[in-house]
Amino acid sequence: MMVTYVNAICMNWFWLADDRCLQYGIYGVYRMEPTRTTIAGIPALIYGAPSDKAFLYVHGRYSKKEEAESFARVVTPKGYRVVSFDLPEHGERAGEAYPCTVQNGVHDLSAVYDAVTGVYRSLSLYACSLGAYFSLTACGGGAFARCLFVSPILDMERLIRNMMLWSNVTEERLREEKRIETSFGETLSWEYYDFVRNHPITRWDSPTSILYGENDNLTERNVLDAFVRKFHCKVTVMKDGEHYFHTPEQLSFLQDWIEGQEYE
């Protein structure tokens, strides 16, 4: 296990929580022009010139496919394409009668992965928070050239159990009532919880680097350490960082971490 503690030094672009962002370059605001398409019927964007290598970008909750632009600015000059898509209830899919459950999220990610995996000689993965958990569940049997996880949810069963504890909800009550609204805006679902329990993360064969905030309130440090030991990941921990990187210092740290990764 490799763990690196680093202090943020400079700030180039501002990024918002779960990758919701506008990029501010040193010469002002500017945007990339991706190719709009659909993959397996799902709205998607492709950044960069034609290439035989690409990153599949899986956004987190409250985000959308357009947030891949920040990452694309770093890797497209290195010869990569970036393929990004909207998870259920996000981006162009907001308002659809197709909720962002673990079942639907994993189904859609699997469909996109299957559609793009044969297109590129080398396929890598960038995933944030909930998107990382969906990736672990959907693509555990696959092998990416490299993976970058930002604040990943690594043990969803543990997280749901924690939320049940915070809400004083027992497993028996959740099984009986099926859905329970919490005081902190989350909905506990027996169907979601039961799926998670029956689909533990048992395999992950791709070389993975993780960025983790020291004060992450969704993925506990012992959960991170267990995952890293089991799957031989590299970890960078931001001192005083949070699950959502949103302050100028945190966003600068995130930017530096992405720029400092090894790419082909």
Side-chain angles (χ1 to χ4, degrees):
M1 175 176 67
M2 180 182 297
V3 180
T4 307
Y5 286 84
V6 189
N7 289 319
I9 298 174
C10 63
M11 179 169 61
N12 299 317
W13 296 330
F14 288 77
W15 293 20
L16 300 181
D18 235 353
D19 300 328
R20 290 166 287 179
C21 60
L22 263 179
Q23 275 62 58
Y24 290 78
I26 58 175
Y27 302 111
V29 178
Y30 57 99
R31 301 194 64 83
M32 299 180 73
E33 290 298 330
T35 299
R36 293 190 172 272
T37 186
T38 59
I39 301 175
I42 299 169
L45 297 175
I46 300 176
Y47 293 87
S51 175
D52 65 350
K53 60 182 182 179
F55 269 89
L56 177 60
Y57 184 104
V58 189
H59 66 73
R61 194 174 179 191
Y62 305 122
S63 190
K64 56 185 178 180
K65 62 185 180 302
E66 285 79 6
E67 311 310 344
E69 182 177 329
S70 307
F71 179 67
R73 290 188 182 282
V74 177
V75 299
T76 54
K78 303 178 187 299
Y80 289 91
R81 298 195 109 181
V82 175
V83 180
S84 179
F85 68 100
D86 284 325
L87 288 172
E89 291 190 299
H90 292 75
E92 290 183 53
R93 306 178 73 187
E96 291 183 355
Y98 184 72
C100 191
T101 63
V102 61
Q103 295 91 335
N104 291 342
V106 168
H107 173 273
D108 288 5
L109 176 51
S110 296
V112 172
Y113 174 77
D114 288 345
V116 303
T117 190
V119 175
Y120 301 98
R121 170 188 58 82
S122 175
L123 184 64
S124 296
L125 174 69
Y126 178 104
C128 180
S129 190
L130 181 63
Y133 174 72
F134 286 169
S135 299
L136 290 167
T137 305
C139 307
F144 293 97
R146 57 184 44 75
C147 298
L148 303 179
F149 286 167
V150 179
S151 299
I153 302 297
L154 300 173
D155 188 339
M156 183 63 78
E157 181 179 357
R158 174 76 165 265
L159 176 55
I160 294 174
R161 284 185 176 275
N162 284 343
M163 290 193 291
M164 291 165 64
L165 183 63
W166 302 337
S167 301
N168 196 29
V169 173
T170 65
E171 185 174 305
E172 292 72 20
R173 180 186 166 194
L174 185 59
R175 182 190 295 111
E176 182 176 315
E177 297 186 25
K178 305 303 182 187
R179 293 175 62 85
I180 298 175
E181 301 295 332
T182 69
S183 61
F184 46 87
E186 299 292 339
T187 301
L188 296 171
S189 162
W190 174 257
E191 185 178 8
Y192 198 123
Y193 177 57
D194 192 50
F195 180 96
V196 165
R197 289 194 310 168
N198 289 298
H199 295 82
I201 308 304
T202 59
R203 181 179 177 184
W204 190 250
D205 299 329
S206 304
T208 300
S209 295
I210 297 173
L211 177 58
Y212 177 83
E214 183 182 38
N215 298 325
D216 192 314
N217 65 330
L218 298 184
T219 296
E220 296 153 296
R221 182 55 189 268
N222 62 343
V223 171
L224 171 73
D225 291 343
F227 183 90
V228 167
R229 285 193 300 269
K230 184 174 183 178
F231 298 113
H232 312 291
C233 305
K234 296 179 180 179
V235 179
T236 299
V237 178
M238 181 181 181
K239 185 175 178 58
D240 297 324
E242 303 168 77
H243 182 78
Y244 297 113
F245 282 60
H246 62 285
T247 69
E249 183 182 22
Q250 291 167 356
L251 302 175
S252 173
F253 193 99
L254 173 59
Q255 177 68 21
D256 291 343
W257 178 78
I258 290 175
E259 292 184 349
Q261 296 303 308
E262 296 181 1
Y263 301 98
E264 290 184 21

